[in-house]
Amino acid sequence: MKAERLCTAILPSTARKICFRTKEQRKPHRKGHKGKLKMGCFTFVKVVMVVFNLLICLAGMCLAAAGIWVTVDENSFMKVLPPFTDDFESHVNIGVFCITIGAVMTLLGLLGCCGAQKESKCLLIMFFSIILLICIAETAAAIVALVYSSYTEIILKTWATPGLKEKFGKDKIVTDLWNSTMTTLQCCGFSNYTDFSESYYYMQNEARYPPTCCAGLELFPCDDDNAGFSNVVGCYKQIVKIIQRNVNIVGGIAAGVTAIEVAAMGVSLYLYCYLDKKAT
């Protein structure tokens, strides 16, 4: 009471209003401060969303452009691929595959970018739904890969061996690719030297195998006896060993991709909820 009398006696009318301002009168100022903080957070998340999706959009456009190039100049590009069978090449169009993936990435980037920039709840929920579907598909693919991992070698062998028999030694690009792989990994064929038996290379070189399939070439030719004695491991087993040695890197990449997808879903959901709350 003494303080109130002192304020009343000394302070002018404007100062007395400030002096006797109640807690209720001060709350709007605090609410305004919180509102500005939330608005600042929303703006930051919005900018991150726009930049991130612009990068996705650009990456998708580059991939689609590469797919178009492959479609225009398919023959030269297909020769760079591993020696798959003609049947596989006739069923898998690399250009269409790249164009499709690139188009999906571009569409996804545009949805996220426009949804954040225009503050469109519809576009944001579409972006969230597509990312969610991609996550579900990746999880399903990983489960299938784990369940059927024992069949991987059989499938790949059926896929690659016919092309190896028919094209190695005939097609320069295929031959150089296999020679580079076998020299680098110190392996022979897909499973072992028998992959070259009765092959084009075997028939054209007087029943001889590629040099990488044999040891002691200075003393003995790389024929059936030397190749069988050398018993050089196949390239598939060498690749599996490399993957097992680098399983942490593979797992880290998978975890990174998953984290990016989850973060994208979280950001889009945050923006959607903020806009929905703002509208009500």
Side-chain angles (χ1 to χ4, degrees):
M1 292 297 292
K2 291 182 179 180
E4 292 178 5
R5 290 175 183 176
L6 184 62
C7 284
T8 303
I10 299 175
L11 297 176
S13 60
T14 304
R16 285 201 300 271
K17 292 180 181 179
I18 299 174
C19 183
F20 295 117
R21 190 172 58 182
T22 63
K23 293 181 180 180
E24 288 73 13
Q25 291 173 322
R26 295 174 189 176
K27 282 184 181 179
H29 176 72
R30 294 178 182 176
K31 288 182 180 179
H33 179 71
K34 290 181 180 179
K36 289 180 180 179
L37 185 63
K38 288 182 179 179
M39 190 63 187
C41 181
F42 171 78
T43 304
F44 173 76
V45 173
K46 177 180 173 180
V47 171
V48 171
M49 182 79 168
V50 171
V51 173
F52 174 74
N53 283 281
L54 276 177
L55 293 176
I56 292 179
C57 186
L58 289 174
M61 291 170 62
C62 292
L63 187 59
I68 294 171
W69 172 72
V70 172
T71 304
V72 173
D73 195 13
E74 181 180 3
N75 292 331
S76 63
F77 188 85
M78 289 300 290
K79 291 180 180 178
V80 180
L81 295 176
F84 302 140
T85 63
D86 291 331
D87 181 67
F88 172 75
E89 290 180 7
S90 65
H91 286 84
V92 178
N93 191 316
I94 301 299
V96 173
F97 178 78
C98 291
I99 292 172
T100 303
I101 299 299
V104 171
M105 290 178 63
T106 303
L107 175 63
L108 198 61
L110 287 174
L111 277 177
C113 184
C114 294
Q117 180 63 30
K118 299 296 184 180
E119 298 184 1
S120 171
K121 294 192 294 181
C122 179
L123 294 179
L124 287 172
I125 202 65
M126 286 177 63
F127 177 84
F128 174 85
S129 301
I130 293 174
I131 295 290
L132 181 61
L133 289 175
I134 292 174
C135 285
I136 294 173
E138 289 173 346
T139 303
I143 293 173
V144 171
L146 289 174
V147 172
Y148 293 99
S149 59
S150 58
Y151 299 100
T152 303
E153 183 176 2
I154 299 173
I155 295 171
L156 291 178
K157 185 175 182 178
T158 305
W159 188 16
T161 304
L164 180 64
K165 286 182 176 292
E166 296 170 8
K167 296 184 178 181
F168 188 85
K170 181 188 295 185
D171 190 308
K172 184 179 184 302
I173 295 179
V174 169
T175 304
D176 291 343
L177 181 61
W178 268 106
N179 281 333
S180 176
T181 302
M182 292 189 293
T183 302
T184 303
L185 301 180
Q186 297 181 347
C187 56
C188 174
F190 184 85
S191 301
N192 51 39
Y193 74 95
T194 60
D195 292 335
F196 292 98
S197 298
E198 306 301 326
S199 66
Y200 175 85
Y201 179 90
Y202 183 86
M203 302 299 291
Q204 294 294 318
N205 289 272
E206 301 177 351
R208 302 289 173 82
Y209 295 95
T212 53
C213 296
C214 297
L217 290 174
E218 302 81 5
L219 302 175
F220 306 101
C222 193
D223 54 15
D224 287 275
D225 293 333
N226 191 4
F229 178 79
S230 301
N231 195 26
V232 178
V233 69
C235 294
Y236 174 78
K237 292 181 180 178
Q238 290 293 82
I239 293 173
V240 170
K241 287 180 181 179
I242 292 173
I243 293 175
Q244 289 174 344
R245 285 199 301 265
N246 297 278
V247 66
N248 292 334
I249 298 175
V250 176
I253 293 173
V257 171
T258 304
I260 291 173
E261 291 173 344
V262 171
M265 287 192 296
V267 169
S268 61
L269 192 61
Y270 167 80
L271 293 176
Y272 175 85
C273 292
Y274 182 90
L275 293 173
D276 187 60
K277 185 177 180 181
K278 183 180 178 181
T280 56

